[in-house]
Each structure stands twice: as C-alpha cells, then as structure tokens.
Amino acid sequence: MELRPVGIFQGMSDADLKKVARTMREIRHPKGAEVMARGAQGVGFMVILEGEAEVKTVDGRSRKLGPGDHFGEMALLDAEGRSASVMARTDLVAAAVTEWGFKPFLMEHPTIAYRLLETLSRRLREAEASHGTNAKRSGRS
Ligand code: CMP
C-alpha cells in the first residue's frame, strides 16, 4: 500500500510514509456502500487513498471527503458510537487502523495526531457557527 503526502499525511517524508503504511491496512468499499452507520460502534479509523466519501451529519448536512481526508476518529476517541454516517460516493480505497491500534498509532505518529486535532478544532468552530445560525432562526439564544 502506497501512501501519498496529502491531507493528513501532508509534509511527511517517504521514509515516514512507509513506516505509517506498515501500521495500516488497505480496505475497499464499492460505490454506494455504507462505510459507517451513525450510532454503530467504531472499529476503525480511515484515510482515503482513492475515491470519494460522503459524511451525513446528525444535523442533516453532508460533506464530501477525498484523497488524504480522514474519518472515523470520533467513535474511537470517545467510545460513544459513530457520530455520523459515511457512504462511498465512488469506489473507495482507504488505509485503515483498527480501534485497538489507534492509540498506539497516534503515539507513534504525533504529526498525524496534531493534524487530527486541527481538523477537530475546525469542525467544532463550524458546528458552533451553524448552531448560532440555527439558534437565531428558531428564536433561541
Ligand atoms: P466517527 O464518529 O467515528 O464516525 C463518523 C465520522 O464522520 C466521524 O468519526 C468523523 O470522522 C466524520 N464526521 C463527523 N462529523 C463530521 C463533520 N461535521 N464534518 C466532517 N466529517 C465529520
């Protein structure tokens, strides 16, 4: 499995990418497959290698993800089940880490852990901004 220095792997050297690849496993989903179901228990963290996925969040919004984007970290971090559903928009190839391998994976690759925090921070801002808009719309403060 060959990892490219994009998205969560951006800026990593070939040697580091090879090291990361040894701790991940390639998985494939056909177009239209449900990759993650909201509420289900989480068993893996994934980084897209080829293709596109669509995240359907609890507020009914969807977000497109492509090569280098990751998903599936939340249920592994808080053990509260999948926060959103994820579908394969095209045939999808991803690199995956299992639930039990996730913490050691982050400890071994702090650059990846930092990227993950950047994404979570950005998502929290988006969620808070949209909460503000929804609250205004419904008259709540
Ligand atoms: P997890 O909750 O394990 O499974 C569903 C995944 O969808 C979740 O982890 C995130 O990786 C991803 N996800 C959830 N909410 C959003 C969002 N607002 N934008 C992009 N991805 C999201």
Side-chain angles (χ1 to χ4, degrees):
M1 180 177 62
E2 203 175 324
L3 304 181
R4 282 185 294 130
V6 296
I8 199 165
F9 300 135
Q10 198 171 350
M12 294 181 76
S13 67
D14 279 356
D16 281 346
L17 287 173
K18 282 208 174 96
K19 207 170 137 205
V20 174
R22 282 199 289 273
T23 55
M24 301 186 91
R25 186 167 72 88
E26 187 176 295
I27 55 130
R28 287 167 186 266
H29 286 281
K31 179 180 173 174
E34 185 173 64
V35 184
M36 288 173 186
R38 190 157 74 84
Q41 238 190 308
V43 285
F45 165 71
M46 291 179 200
V47 181
I48 299 178
L49 300 179
E50 283 168 40
E52 278 185 359
E54 182 169 340
V55 177
K56 288 218 165 102
T57 59
V58 66
D59 61 4
R61 292 171 191 235
S62 18
R63 286 186 179 74
K64 255 190 254 171
L65 304 178
D69 291 335
H70 63 272
F71 58 95
E73 74 292 343
M74 291 173 68
L76 305 193
L77 291 168
D78 66 12
E80 295 281 327
R82 296 298 188 194
S83 60
S85 297
V86 184
M87 194 200 90
R89 282 176 53 92
T90 63
D91 286 350
L92 194 69
V93 186
V97 182
T98 58
E99 184 198 4
W100 52 95
F102 190 54
K103 195 169 174 185
F105 176 78
L106 294 183
M107 306 286 239
E108 211 179 316
H109 307 294
T111 318
I112 295 178
Y114 189 81
R115 288 269 156 70
L116 222 135
L117 288 172
E118 286 180 325
T119 312
L120 283 172
S121 171
R122 194 176 60 239
R123 255 190 239 150
L124 180 61
R125 271 187 202 274
E126 276 172 21
E128 302 221 306
S130 88
H131 177 74
T133 328
N134 292 341
K136 259 182 233 139
R137 241 186 261 133
S138 65
R140 284 181 281 128
S141 58

